[in-house]
Amino acid sequence: MTQQVAPPVQGGLNPPSVEASRTPALEVRNLRKTFRDRRSEVHVLDDLALQVQPGEFVSIIGPSGSGKSTLFHIIGGLTAPDSGSVFMDGRDVTGKKGLIAYMPQQPALFPWRTVEDNVLLPEELRGTQKAVARANARRWMERAGLAGFEKAYPHTLSGGMQQRAAFLRALMSPQEVMCLDEPFSALDALTRSDMQRWLLDIWEETRRSVLMITHHIEEALLLSDSIYILSARPGAILKRIEVPFPRPRREEILLDPSFITLKTEISAMMREEQQERGQ
Amino acid sequence: MRSWWSSVWPPVVAVLFFLLVWQAAVSIFDIEKFILPAPTAIGSEAVTGAAGLFQHTLATLQLTLIGFIIGTTIGLVISLALHMVPFLKTALYPLLILSQNVPTIALAPLLMIWFGFGMLPKVIVITLVCFFPVAIAALDGLARTDRTMMNYMQMAGATSWQIFTKLELPHALPSIFSGIRIAATYSVMGAVIGEWIGSDRGIGYYMMLQKSGYRTDRVFVAILVIVLLSLLMVLLITLLEKRLIRWNRKS
Ligand SMILES: Nc1ncnc2c1ncn2[C@@H]1O[C@H](COP(=O)(O)OP(=O)(O)O)[C@@H](O)[C@H]1O
Ligand SMILES: [Mg+2]
């Protein structure tokens, strides 16, 4: 793993505060979605709304099956919502495809492409010169600990490495807003914390707008400017939390008493939510 | 190398054993040569008659290749058309399946009446037996595109041409090749049957000729040649597949 020294760029900046006057990079309003087939109806999203400011890192935490992946499919234009809309930079883009950099929950790497060719796919789709794309891919693969696997085929990689490749593919997508669907779920605890630190460095350097789904409260607190807690199905926003820790963040904040308090609060809230549904 | 050998010797031994039993049975029961010639008799006929068979083999191989290439191409074109125009698929796919209840070979005499005894009717027969396995396998492969990869491509804003060339086609390639492999063996069979029905050269013609002279040993040699032609076709396809599909599939 790259042992990065704290990048000097934008050192000590506070998270971009949410001012009403700014146009969010991504906003969804009043999303509702029900999947119907002949036999059953699944009410997945219920009046969901959230915002991601430009350069803001936002996480969504919610029980599984609460419609998080469906939300990303709606944002990406793949699934039509029953009602509600998606806005990017103030424009209504509901149903439009190709506007987000996306990392799916399953890596969905193409087995006939080498890892490198998978990573540069989004640039290839944009018509970027192959040589340029390849150089970019190489550079990022090295930083993600995938050096030496450029010419390997995905099925020869561990689940964790596949996820890193899928993450790089999203990172190399030219779109400004990144949507990451449980990016580190297949990683063991150690690699996971490595990757979190790595993502923190990369993100504090590049400051893209990120919307990330996770189950991991600590991960969300470490990385995010704000966190949305999602209810069980049908998914609706239970609470929005602003994470107060200054940037650049170091891992030491995991031990900070206020960090621990916040973490306990969130996990209590989620446990309560799950118990309520269980009855 | 060792593991290769350990998987090769059991079938080789089995074949040798079978030939031995055959040879023994023919001499013990004193079977007439025109009913069942001994393997050694077939072997010596193969050696002495090889020169006379060469031209016929070449003619059949040429016919097979022409029919196979045309049939496979038509199969691929049909599958692409049906894949890209969903309406065509709903309209024609059931008919395509139904059409296979017509025993294509039975059409051969009719084709001879219509198109004479030249190359054309035989090429049509081979085309008819070849296009179907290719078309069905290709359609199947194209329809089974992985959902999560498709979602990714769509959300990445890929055009339908990009989705076709970068996802659907490579994804369908192994399936397409399994169809082409079937077509390859069918094409040899189609060529031989075409030659049975009306021809003045080729292995099928040679077989008919020897059959009427009760030269069973020569019929066996002809069968051997047909088997070798089939194997050659499959080998060619496998080499092509190895070149085109470098990645290893897990399943
Ligand atoms: N295309 C679909 N058709 C029918 N039901 C679906 C479809 N996609 C998702 N669902 C259902 O919607 C619910 C939410 O799924 P998902 O968005 O994947 O949840 P999460 O990502 O939060 O775990 C699940 O019960 C799932 O079965
Ligand atoms: Mg999900």
Side-chain angles (χ1 to χ4, degrees):
Chain A
M1 191 71 350
T2 43
Q3 279 299 327
Q4 284 279 152
V5 187
V9 276
Q10 299 148 322
L13 269 192
N14 281 318
S17 57
V18 186
E19 302 157 26
S21 60
R22 287 177 76 179
T23 323
L26 172 69
E27 180 178 13
V28 302
R29 291 187 198 153
N30 315 106
L31 283 189
R32 286 173 205 277
K33 181 69 192 175
T34 303
F35 286 111
R36 294 186 177 80
D37 60 26
R38 271 166 303 168
R39 250 164 290 155
S40 60
E41 266 191 16
V42 190
H43 191 179
V44 179
L45 294 177
D46 190 39
D47 202 18
L48 187 138
L50 57 78
Q51 293 188 347
V52 181
Q53 300 302 327
E56 192 187 19
F57 197 122
V58 178
S59 291
I60 301 174
I61 303 183
S64 59
S66 58
K68 302 181 299 296
S69 296
T70 305
L71 168 67
F72 274 17
H73 289 167
I74 292 174
I75 293 173
L78 189 70
T79 305
D82 294 336
S83 64
S85 9
V86 180
F87 289 85
M88 289 181 80
D89 297 324
R91 277 190 312 134
D92 186 342
V93 295
T94 318
K96 288 223 170 61
K97 299 188 182 89
L99 298 177
I100 56 166
Y102 172 54
M103 173 177 172
Q105 189 167 358
Q106 292 86 18
L109 299 170
F110 294 4
W112 51 87
R113 282 176 168 252
T114 59
V115 176
E116 180 182 79
D117 284 345
N118 266 292
V119 169
L120 57 77
L121 178 65
E123 292 206 296
E124 189 180 311
L125 293 178
R126 285 294 147 130
T128 309
Q129 259 189 336
K130 230 5 202 291
V132 177
R134 197 167 295 278
N136 280 341
R138 292 249 161 111
R139 197 162 48 84
W140 282 115
M141 284 180 73
E142 184 155 352
R143 286 192 68 178
L146 289 173
F149 291 92
E150 291 86 355
K151 297 292 175 207
Y153 285 98
H155 72 268
T156 63
L157 267 57
S158 68
M161 289 167 93
Q162 290 184 18
Q163 254 186 349
R164 275 184 266 169
F167 174 77
L168 286 187
R169 185 174 60 180
L171 192 69
M172 283 193 62
S173 303
Q175 297 88 346
E176 208 272 326
V177 177
M178 283 176 85
C179 291
L180 310 174
D181 196 342
E182 304 193 18
F184 304 133
S185 61
L187 304 179
D188 57 89
L190 215 66
T191 322
R192 185 175 193 133
S193 82
D194 266 354
M195 287 305 290
Q196 287 166 0
R197 214 174 332 122
W198 180 77
L199 176 57
L200 192 60
D201 284 344
I202 299 281
W203 182 81
E204 287 183 342
E205 223 175 276
T206 58
R207 289 275 173 155
R208 281 166 84 168
S209 317
V210 176
L211 185 58
M212 177 180 83
I213 294 171
T214 178
H215 282 299
H216 207 272
I217 299 171
E218 220 174 71
E219 178 174 293
L221 280 170
L222 177 67
L223 294 168
S224 315
D225 299 310
S226 56
I227 300 174
Y228 287 92
I229 313 275
L230 211 61
S231 70
R233 198 170 57 228
I237 301 297
L238 282 182
K239 194 171 166 54
R240 177 177 179 281
I241 296 168
E242 285 214 36
V243 184
F245 311 109
R247 292 188 188 272
R249 288 188 191 153
R250 297 293 94 207
E251 247 184 318
E252 286 80 72
I253 64 162
L254 295 180
L255 305 172
D256 191 307
S258 59
F259 186 97
I260 293 166
T261 313
L262 209 46
K263 183 177 148 188
T264 319
E265 240 172 68
I266 295 175
S267 70
M269 195 186 314
M270 295 204 49
R271 206 169 314 122
E272 203 175 299
E273 170 68 13
Q274 236 135 23
Q275 272 165 5
E276 241 169 70
R277 300 283 159 162
Q279 279 158 12
Chain B
M1 204 59 200
R2 201 181 207 98
S3 67
W4 175 82
W5 178 240
S6 68
S7 70
V8 161
W9 74 261
V12 169
V13 167
V15 168
L16 287 179
F17 180 72
F18 174 73
L19 290 177
L20 211 68
V21 170
W22 179 351
Q23 183 82 35
V26 167
S27 60
I28 290 171
F29 300 110
D30 200 18
I31 298 175
E32 295 273 15
K33 198 183 172 200
F34 77 90
I35 293 181
L36 186 65
T40 47
I42 297 171
S44 67
E45 171 57 32
V47 173
T48 52
L53 255 177
F54 188 66
Q55 287 306 320
H56 291 301
T57 307
L58 227 52
T60 304
L61 182 61
Q62 187 194 23
L63 180 62
T64 301
L65 284 175
I66 293 174
F68 167 75
I69 288 168
I70 294 177
T72 302
T73 309
I74 290 180
L76 287 176
V77 169
I78 287 178
S79 65
L80 293 190
L82 263 57
H83 175 69
M84 285 179 172
V85 189
F87 172 75
L88 270 187
K89 186 169 174 183
T90 40
L92 297 183
Y93 190 78
L95 296 180
L96 199 63
I97 300 290
L98 264 183
S99 78
Q100 286 308 294
N101 290 311
V102 180
T104 321
I105 299 301
L107 295 178
L110 200 58
L111 293 169
M112 302 283 164
I113 294 174
W114 288 341
F115 301 107
F117 289 87
M119 192 85 141
L120 183 62
K122 300 182 195 78
V123 169
I124 294 176
V125 169
I126 303 172
T127 302
L128 285 177
V129 294
C130 277
F131 91 89
F132 182 76
V134 175
I136 293 299
L139 271 175
D140 195 53
L142 290 170
R144 277 170 199 268
T145 306
D146 184 274
R147 226 30 259 177
T148 58
M149 295 181 201
M150 180 61 109
N151 288 350
Y152 175 80
M153 281 299 265
Q154 289 179 335
M155 281 173 71
T159 63
S160 38
W161 178 248
Q162 285 174 329
I163 288 178
F164 178 72
T165 55
K166 294 181 198 301
L167 172 58
E168 292 178 309
L169 195 59
H171 191 274
L173 219 48
S175 174
I176 291 175
F177 263 102
S178 68
I180 292 182
R181 205 190 315 278
I182 295 172
T185 50
Y186 278 16
S187 65
V188 177
M189 182 190 73
V192 171
I193 291 176
E195 288 167 349
W196 281 353
I197 292 170
S199 187
D200 52 4
R201 61 205 162 115
I203 291 292
Y205 164 76
Y206 178 86
M207 274 179 102
M208 282 304 171
L209 205 64
Q210 303 309 329
K211 184 207 76 175
S212 43
Y214 287 97
R215 287 298 303 264
T216 314
D217 53 344
R218 290 192 174 164
V219 174
F220 267 106
V221 173
I223 291 174
L224 194 65
V225 171
I226 294 170
V227 170
L228 292 179
L229 277 182
S230 271
L231 287 179
L232 176 73
M233 290 296 288
V234 171
L235 181 73
L236 286 180
I237 300 308
T238 307
L239 288 180
L240 189 66
E241 183 177 10
K242 282 251 160 63
R243 270 204 71 77
L244 284 179
I245 306 177
R246 297 273 173 89
W247 50 286
N248 263 333
R249 273 189 309 166
K250 246 189 286 183
S251 52

